[in-house]
Amino acid sequence: MVDLRQMRYFVAVAEERHFGRAAERLHMAQPPLSQQIKQLETTLGTKLFERTTRRVDLTDAGQLMLERARQILADVEALAKDVREVGAGAAGVLRVGFVGSATYRVMPAVVQLARRELPGVRLHVMGEMLTPQIEQGLLENRLDIAVLRPPVQSSELLLHALEGDSLVLALPAHHRLATAGGPVPLAELAGEDFVSYPQGSAVATITSEACRQAGFRPRVVQEATETSTLLAFVGAGMGLALVPDGARRAAASPIAYRELENAPEVGLAIAWKNGSRSGLIPPFRALAHRAVGDVRHDQPSLVHPPSSDQQERP
């Protein structure tokens, strides 16, 4: 049986790639550290390190062990923190994931409502995530509930729709389409460079299909996981992007936003694992619905490119 102490020892050696430095980091002597690693390898029945006179390298099994051990140790640390908070008087802890575009629109409203109406509940919020990451977090019980962009792959997750969000065109302020009037036909973007969320994300999938129906395949020159990074790339002139309307608040770069003809829509939904026993999920769902209603009635207008002496603030 692998214990947490051995796991911490292993991670230290794997990250330092040196037994001596790992021993210093752990405030222990090197011989007992080496002994513990050998015992761990014996328990697992496989080598975790390739040792040379100058350095220590991970085997394939060791690389897998490092990835899993880091996650397990993070989960244990999070568990200890949650237990301490509940023991100190918190009514409960809810770990919440958000997709990047919701981070800038829905999440602040949800957190404000939760602080006011669920004052004893601690929200551990993890934003700027993609739907596949969120789905994995829910399935592995690292998240309790999330706001994501459907669809999801697992039948173990339950979804409750919140709203639909039209995609808008984000483009550099100096682009030829930045000041044109009226909605932009998707076909007019053929031949343009695109920056995009990674393949497999909901927005990237919907964008690809919409462009296909318009008669072309988007030429993606750069991908970005975080909405803020993606829009920074747009502002730097690397390409255009189709983003959910709510993502406009993420950028401080000089970006113009244009509506699209027959704009494709991406959904927003609450997701949680079927069978979850958390009593905080129903009140959070109610708060999320209220938050969406609140921000829907406070929509900012599409911004225009900044003048030469004024930087845009979407």
Side-chain angles (χ1 to χ4, degrees):
M1 180 70 69
V2 178
D3 61 37
L4 291 177
R5 183 186 59 173
Q6 287 180 328
M7 208 172 291
R8 291 190 179 94
Y9 291 169
F10 165 78
V11 170
V13 176
E15 290 179 346
E16 297 293 340
R17 295 293 203 274
H18 192 278
F19 276 88
R21 289 194 298 270
E24 291 178 8
R25 170 174 156 181
L26 294 165
H27 305 291
M28 65 185 297
Q30 182 175 333
L33 174 60
S34 299
Q35 190 175 35
Q36 286 294 322
I37 296 300
K38 287 180 182 178
Q39 184 178 333
L40 177 61
E41 289 178 320
T42 300
T43 299
L44 295 173
T46 187
K47 288 179 64 176
L48 300 174
F49 296 105
E50 294 289 353
R51 301 162 176 82
T52 68
T53 55
R54 295 193 173 186
R55 58 178 287 128
V56 176
D57 290 317
L58 286 166
T59 63
D60 289 343
Q63 186 60 50
L64 175 61
M65 179 72 179
L66 178 59
E67 294 170 6
R68 299 286 180 85
R70 281 172 169 164
Q71 186 58 63
I72 290 170
L73 292 174
D75 289 344
V76 170
E77 185 176 341
L79 172 62
K81 181 179 179 182
D82 292 349
V83 170
R84 283 195 298 268
E85 290 189 356
V86 172
V93 175
L94 196 65
R95 299 163 300 170
V96 185
F98 279 86
V99 287
S101 51
T103 300
Y104 303 96
R105 180 170 172 265
V106 175
M107 185 179 74
V110 171
V111 172
Q112 287 177 354
L113 281 173
R115 290 185 65 181
R116 185 168 68 242
E117 302 194 14
L118 301 173
V121 175
R122 303 286 192 269
L123 291 185
H124 290 176
V125 177
M126 288 153 273
E128 290 281 14
M129 300 178 73
L130 297 173
T131 290
Q133 293 174 299
I134 291 175
E135 182 173 356
Q136 197 67 24
L138 290 169
L139 292 173
E140 294 178 356
N141 298 312
R142 289 183 282 109
L143 294 173
D144 300 308
I145 196 166
V147 177
L148 51 68
R149 302 284 184 190
V152 297
Q153 302 301 313
S154 175
S155 59
E156 291 185 55
L157 299 185
L158 300 176
L159 295 181
H160 194 89
L162 285 174
E163 66 171 353
D165 209 0
S166 296
L167 296 185
V168 296
L169 174 63
L171 63 164
H174 56 73
H175 193 276
R176 62 182 177 82
L177 294 174
T179 57
V184 178
L186 263 176
E188 196 166 341
L189 307 181
E192 296 279 357
D193 290 341
F194 280 74
V195 293
S196 172
Y197 295 103
Q199 289 186 3
S201 68
V203 175
T205 301
I206 291 170
T207 295
S208 180
E209 176 59 20
C211 292
R212 186 192 67 78
Q213 292 183 15
F216 71 99
R217 183 177 179 178
R219 185 171 64 218
V220 176
V221 297
Q222 182 64 51
E223 293 184 347
T225 302
E226 297 84 9
T227 299
S228 55
T229 303
L230 184 146
L231 291 175
F233 288 158
V234 173
M238 293 180 64
L240 316 179
L242 268 59
V243 297
D245 189 53
R248 289 179 285 118
R249 299 186 180 189
S253 304
I255 296 176
Y257 294 87
R258 295 286 310 281
E259 294 179 345
L260 295 165
E261 279 188 8
N262 303 314
E265 190 173 271
V266 61
L268 192 67
I270 301 172
W272 66 99
K273 190 174 181 181
N274 190 14
S276 174
R277 298 180 180 179
S278 174
L280 298 175
I281 289 177
F284 180 88
R285 287 167 47 193
L287 288 179
H289 273 283
R290 286 178 53 192
V292 167
D294 290 346
V295 297
R296 188 182 296 136
H297 294 300
D298 186 32
Q299 288 281 359
S301 58
L302 284 174
V303 300
H304 300 285
S307 61
S308 57
D309 61 346
Q310 181 181 13
Q311 192 177 50
E312 175 193 47
R313 295 288 177 184

